[in-house]
């Protein structure tokens, strides 16, 4: 199969969902935004706790993430919900979204109060949902797919099965000239020498080096943590330790396999939109799953492949998140969360290539409209990485 049925946007990008997004510009308007969305089926909300009292790069990062989330191809129209005194300008958000050819409106709580703002917002979103419902899926090339690769709750099985299977999907999509995003800077430390070999541009290597060093420096400022009376190394969670991982390097070598063998064509800041060139993009994100996924989706990812050895319910507000495990016990215990069980590889029941092809087929079904388990459960996680102090 060389195509999937998606939503063609005016800028030529391709979505796998056709959401109307209710976007709060600040935490102070998040409750109103959620109440508006909950009243209108067909809409989604991206609740977050940023948007005000931020400075410098931190403010720029929040602003960039909100704008690029709204511009993700999975979004057909946007209602920005503002308070009226926040640092991120709701009117600017609306104007930028409109300038990119996407329908957008704004409503301010300080103009009406909570109750009337909710009523007015519901009316606007109802009209938007009705209008975008007329948009039909079209046959689109696989090259227009953008996949985000994530892992969380890793254990011994992740680097042996789940991550390599996702790497197979990355390689298959690369053959179709698609794009892949690999994130979690903390989980690339120790494997950077293998990634440098896949970069042809010196400026790209310098940017990646700076990204790594920034994360390493922050990590070294802090000591090891004691959790449940055991020492836990920085950047490795207590669950990782219980799952059999011993060092950050061990975790990184397993995690970076999610990018397959795809040539690296770009290094991006958190929430920065990837370029049109096909290939693998590295994005600077924390290892914290929800914030990392949010950054990749703002970067353009329309589907996320999420590996987890120990299990997690993580989803996303606007992009389907496919949960993959190589741990058979996790697949059984968390069957309502796990979409794909690749423990068959560990037990010798299936080859890596066979499992990779099956996972790619699932990706295509999800892209064509089949719901992930996180979507069925309404798991609409969304959190922006905060990198500085607040006023």
């Amino acid at each position: 199969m060389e195509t999937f049925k998606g939503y063609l946007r005016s800028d030529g990008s391709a979505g796998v969902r056709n959401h109307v997004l209710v976007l709060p510009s600040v935490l102070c308007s998040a409750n109103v935004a959620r109440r508006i969305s909950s009243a209108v089926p067909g809409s989604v909300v991206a609740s977050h706790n940023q948007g005000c009292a931020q400075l410098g790069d931190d403010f720029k990062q929040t602003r960039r993430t909100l704008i690029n989330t709204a511009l993700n191809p999975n979004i057909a129209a946007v209602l920005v919900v503002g308070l009226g005194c926040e640092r991120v300008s709701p009117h600017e958000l609306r104007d930028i979204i409109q300038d990119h050819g996407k329908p957008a409106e704004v409503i301010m709580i300080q103009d009406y109060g909570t109750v009337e703002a909710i009523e007015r917002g519901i009316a606007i979103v109802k009209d938007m949902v009705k209008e975008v419902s007329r948009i039909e899926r079209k046959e689109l090339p696989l090259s227009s797919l953008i996949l985000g690769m994530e892992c969380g709750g890793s254990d011994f099985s992740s680097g042996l099965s789940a991550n390599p299977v996702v790497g197979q999907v990355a390689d298959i999509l690369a053959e179709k000239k698609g794009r892949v995003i690999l994130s979690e800077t903390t989980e690339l430390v120790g494997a950077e020498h293998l990634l440098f070999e896949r970069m042809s541009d010196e400026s790209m290597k310098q940017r990646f080096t700076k990204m790594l060093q920034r994360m390493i420096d922050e990590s070294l400022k802090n000591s090891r943590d004691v959790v449940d009376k055991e020492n836990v190394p920085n950047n490795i969670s207590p669950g990782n330790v219980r799952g059999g991982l011993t060092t950050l390097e061990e975790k990184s070598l397993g995690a970076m396999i999610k990018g397959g063998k795809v040539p690296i064509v770009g290094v991006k800041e958190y929430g920065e939109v990837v370029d049109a060139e096909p290939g693998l993009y590295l994005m600077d994100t924390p290892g914290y799953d929800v914030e990392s996924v949010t950054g990749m989706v703002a970067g353009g990812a329309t589907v996320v492949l999420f590996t987890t050895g120990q299990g997690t319910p993580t989803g996303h507000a606007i992009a389907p998140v496919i949960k993959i495990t190589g741990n058979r016990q996790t697949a059984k215990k968390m069957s309502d969360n796990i979409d794909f069980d690749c423990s068959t590889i560990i037990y010798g029941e299936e080859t890596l290539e066979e499992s990779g092809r099956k996972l790619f087929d699932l990706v295509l079904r999800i892209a064509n409209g089949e719901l992930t388990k996180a979507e069925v459960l309404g798991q609409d996680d969304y959190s922006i990485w905060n990198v500085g102090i607040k006023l």
Side-chain angles (χ1 to χ4, degrees):
M1 184 181 293
E2 299 297 322
T3 63
F4 73 100
K5 288 189 174 181
Y7 297 97
L8 182 63
R9 303 304 180 194
S10 60
D11 61 358
S13 62
V16 304
R17 297 293 183 264
N18 196 41
H19 296 310
V20 170
L21 174 64
V22 184
L23 180 66
S25 58
V26 66
L27 171 64
C28 311
S29 60
N31 182 55
V32 168
R34 182 165 289 280
R35 290 175 67 177
I36 291 170
S37 179
S38 64
V40 188
S43 69
V44 294
V45 62
S47 294
H48 60 91
N49 65 341
Q50 308 298 345
C52 201
Q54 293 175 286
L55 300 169
D57 290 340
D58 201 31
F59 162 71
K60 293 175 183 177
Q61 180 160 291
T62 291
R63 177 181 174 276
R64 177 175 67 241
T65 305
L66 291 175
I67 290 169
N68 291 341
T69 295
L71 297 179
N72 184 285
N74 286 349
I75 299 301
V78 183
L79 171 64
V80 179
V81 180
L83 176 60
C85 55
E86 58 267 46
R87 183 88 160 84
V88 172
S89 168
H91 291 94
E92 183 193 30
L93 293 181
R94 177 204 56 194
D95 293 346
I96 292 173
I97 297 165
Q98 287 180 343
D99 288 345
H100 281 78
K102 191 168 291 190
E105 299 291 341
V106 66
I107 190 165
M108 308 295 289
I109 298 171
Q110 289 180 349
D111 288 344
Y112 306 106
T114 291
V115 175
E116 188 173 346
I118 292 172
E119 291 174 350
R120 286 174 176 265
I122 290 173
I124 293 171
V125 174
K126 280 183 176 179
D127 287 342
M128 285 180 166
V129 169
K130 182 178 180 180
E131 185 65 27
V132 306
S133 69
R134 299 188 177 98
I135 303 173
E136 297 181 353
R137 288 182 179 268
K138 297 180 179 180
E139 292 284 347
L140 299 171
L142 293 180
S143 59
S144 58
L145 278 178
I146 306 176
L147 301 182
M149 309 309 204
E150 180 74 16
C151 55
S154 300
D155 69 0
F156 73 94
S157 71
S158 299
L160 295 174
S161 55
N163 291 342
V165 166
V166 168
Q168 288 286 306
V169 172
D171 289 337
I172 293 172
L173 185 61
E175 291 178 1
K176 311 296 183 182
K177 304 300 181 183
R179 286 166 284 175
V180 177
I181 306 174
L182 183 63
S183 61
E184 299 179 286
T185 306
T186 49
E187 298 181 17
L188 300 179
V189 175
E192 62 267 32
H193 59 292
L194 299 174
L195 296 170
F196 280 129
E197 292 175 359
R198 292 156 65 180
M199 299 179 189
S200 59
D201 185 86
E202 191 61 35
S203 63
M204 194 187 307
K205 294 179 182 180
Q206 292 175 1
R207 195 174 190 190
F208 183 47
T209 299
K210 182 179 179 181
M211 202 167 87
L212 286 169
Q213 196 59 53
R214 187 166 55 198
M215 193 67 79
I216 292 170
D217 289 345
E218 286 299 316
S219 175
L220 291 175
K221 291 179 182 178
N222 299 281
S223 61
R224 293 162 63 98
D225 294 320
V226 177
V227 180
D228 295 335
K229 299 181 181 180
E230 291 187 14
N231 285 326
V232 177
N234 286 345
N235 303 325
I236 298 182
S237 74
N240 292 154
V241 174
R242 287 193 295 270
L245 298 177
T246 60
T247 66
L248 180 58
E249 290 78 8
E250 181 181 23
K251 186 177 182 180
S252 295
L253 288 168
M256 59 86 64
I257 300 174
K258 298 193 301 296
K261 300 175 183 177
V262 185
I264 297 171
V265 295
V267 177
K268 296 294 181 180
E269 294 292 336
Y270 183 88
E272 186 180 1
V273 176
V274 298
D275 304 320
E277 183 179 0
L280 177 64
Y281 292 83
L282 304 181
M283 179 174 286
D284 188 18
T285 78
Y288 177 40
D289 307 331
V290 177
E291 292 182 352
S292 180
V293 171
T294 293
M296 289 191 292
V297 174
T302 49
V303 180
V304 176
L305 276 63
F306 191 122
T307 64
T308 177
Q310 299 179 86
T312 173
T314 303
H316 191 267
I318 70 171
V321 177
I322 302 173
K323 225 65 63 52
I324 303 143
T325 191
N327 187 320
R328 188 158 290 181
Q329 293 305 311
T330 297
K332 291 178 180 178
K333 290 186 293 185
M334 299 189 69
S335 60
D336 55 343
N337 303 104
I338 302 299
D339 296 283
F340 190 83
D341 177 9
C342 60
S343 63
T344 50
I345 298 169
I346 293 177
Y347 288 90
E349 300 165 355
E350 202 168 35
T351 67
L352 178 61
E353 292 76 16
E354 288 170 340
S355 188
R357 173 53 64 178
K358 285 184 178 179
L359 179 56
F360 188 73
D361 289 342
L362 175 60
V363 170
L364 293 185
R365 297 203 308 272
I366 298 298
N368 283 320
E370 183 178 316
L371 297 180
T372 63
K373 292 187 176 180
E375 289 179 292
V376 171
L377 292 170
Q379 190 82 28
D380 60 348
D381 302 309
Y382 186 88
S383 181
I384 301 171
W385 187 20
N386 181 51
V387 294
I389 63 169
K390 286 186 170 68
L391 291 175

